[in-house]
């Protein structure tokens, strides 16, 4: 009987510690941002970043731009400034 109580307490403490760990770790994660697990520099100029999406024709103008604009991450002027530097002509929706 005493052994069961000890096992239950250990399990309870482990579950409680796991819950606390999940709560603490989730504080640094933005669930509304699909890119939050990737560092900004990697996303913008990395191998699987913006250029990768554009080159693989994943339609960023319709899939990414509306969300970016809604979240205030830069509208047409922000995107076009980078496109002009790269000498890329893009018509945003």
């Amino acid at each position: 009987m005493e052994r069961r109580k000890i096992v239950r307490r250990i399990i309870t403490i482990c579950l409680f510690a796991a819950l606390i760990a999940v709560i603490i770790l989730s504080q640094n994660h933005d669930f509304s941002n699909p890119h939050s697990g990737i560092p900004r520099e990697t996303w913008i100029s990395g191998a699987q970043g913006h250029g990768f999406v554009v080159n693989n024709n994943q339609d960023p103008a319709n899939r990414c731009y509306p969300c970016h604009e809604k979240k205030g991450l830069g509208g047409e002027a922000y995107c076009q400034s980078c496109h002009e530097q790269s000498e890329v002509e893009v018509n945003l929706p």
Side-chain angles (χ1 to χ4, degrees):
M1 190 72 158
E2 189 64 32
R3 184 180 245 180
R4 282 188 178 177
K5 285 185 178 182
I6 292 173
V7 171
R8 281 189 210 154
R9 284 184 186 159
I10 291 173
I11 291 172
T12 301
I13 290 170
C14 290
L15 288 174
F16 186 70
L19 177 64
I20 297 295
V22 166
I23 290 171
I24 290 171
L25 293 175
S26 69
Q27 296 298 315
N28 296 330
H29 186 74
D30 181 7
F31 294 101
S32 65
N33 181 1
H35 318 300
S36 65
I38 304 168
R40 179 177 167 78
E41 190 59 37
T42 301
W43 174 247
I44 291 175
S45 59
Q48 299 290 319
H50 177 264
F52 175 81
V53 172
V54 172
N55 290 331
N56 285 293
N57 195 22
Q58 296 180 15
D59 199 15
N62 290 321
R63 296 179 77 196
C64 306
Y65 179 74
C67 182
H68 283 208
E69 191 173 47
K70 183 175 77 176
K71 290 181 178 284
L73 298 172
E76 186 173 353
Y78 177 81
C79 296
Q80 291 296 18
S81 66
C82 188
H83 292 155
E84 288 170 3
Q85 290 174 2
S86 305
E87 297 178 359
V88 173
E89 291 187 29
V90 177
N91 292 325
L92 296 171

